[in-house]
Amino acid sequence: GFALRRTLIRMRRDLSGSLPTVRLPAHVRVRPFRVGQDEQEWLTVNSRAFADLPDQSGWDAADLAARLEAPWFDPDGFLLAVRTDDNTGAEDLVGFHWTKIHADGADAGEGTGADPVGEVYVLGIDPASQGSGLGKALTLLGLEHLRSRGLKSVMLYVEADNQAAVRTYERLGFRPYATDTLYTRLG
């Protein structure tokens, strides 16, 4: 009496090895999130990037504010990719990588007393910028940030049907370690 609704793959990667060189698309630079300035533009791009995922695209200002006030929030780990207009200097948000640190690895499913674990919390690319290599570049920059904080491993959740993302993460050394499946009752 149930139907499969959603499958999330949990993946992890060791951070002790080398990381590929980051190559950003032309005219794109990355900077930290600015609390009090970037919220609305981030909500807009997040909504477009996750249009097929209502639980992520449906975030509003209150949802974002709650996470910005969470004890784990670090603006330096909330990376925004912005394209800058050469003539005006105006920025357009084209993607983001929000990292998270689980101070107690048990929170990330690592078991009691585990070392802290980093997380690719939310990685999104504006649909107009997909296919440019920005997702890979932002992932790598987030991994570099987490490693700079002394973390030894990182984990993430990815939708099983998002094969482009799964392949990108696998090419960057992530490996599946668990699957979370959601079923809904029929009728």
Side-chain angles (χ1 to χ4, degrees):
F2 290 87
L4 176 64
R5 177 170 171 222
R6 181 178 189 191
T7 301
L8 289 174
I9 301 170
R10 284 191 269 170
M11 303 177 88
R12 70 172 64 141
R13 181 194 197 282
D14 179 14
L15 288 175
S16 63
S18 64
L19 294 169
T21 302
V22 175
R23 289 187 176 85
L24 288 168
H27 306 288
V28 173
R29 69 181 178 85
V30 175
R31 64 168 175 78
F33 185 88
R34 297 177 301 215
V35 176
Q37 296 177 37
D38 292 323
E39 287 84 349
Q40 189 54 56
E41 190 171 16
W42 183 84
L43 285 166
T44 299
V45 172
N46 180 68
S47 180
R48 287 196 306 254
F50 294 100
D52 295 335
L53 293 173
D55 60 324
Q56 181 65 38
S57 67
W59 283 26
D60 61 19
D63 295 320
L64 178 57
R67 286 160 180 88
L68 297 178
E69 294 170 8
W72 54 263
F73 175 68
D74 173 11
D76 291 334
F78 193 168
L79 308 173
L80 301 185
V82 294
R83 180 168 285 119
T84 306
D85 183 290
D86 288 337
N87 297 321
T88 66
E91 292 181 347
D92 285 317
L93 181 63
V94 293
F96 54 88
H97 182 179
W98 191 348
T99 65
K100 180 178 183 178
I101 296 175
H102 297 272
D104 178 355
D107 293 339
E110 298 293 318
T112 306
D115 288 335
V117 175
E119 180 179 346
V120 174
Y121 181 56
V122 187
L123 184 110
I125 307 299
D126 188 291
S129 295
Q130 289 176 351
S132 67
L134 185 55
K136 177 181 178 181
L138 280 169
T139 302
L140 290 169
L141 289 169
L143 297 181
E144 288 175 359
H145 168 77
L146 292 168
R147 185 164 53 188
S148 77
R149 297 295 197 260
L151 298 172
K152 296 175 184 159
S153 66
V154 61
M155 52 88 62
L156 58 81
Y157 295 86
V158 61
E159 297 284 337
D161 62 357
N162 186 347
Q163 285 302 300
V166 171
R167 283 191 302 275
T168 296
Y169 293 135
E170 286 176 338
R171 284 192 297 268
L172 293 176
F174 284 89
R175 298 293 172 251
Y177 71 95
T179 302
D180 297 331
T181 306
L182 175 64
Y183 292 91
T184 55
R185 186 176 300 275
L186 295 173

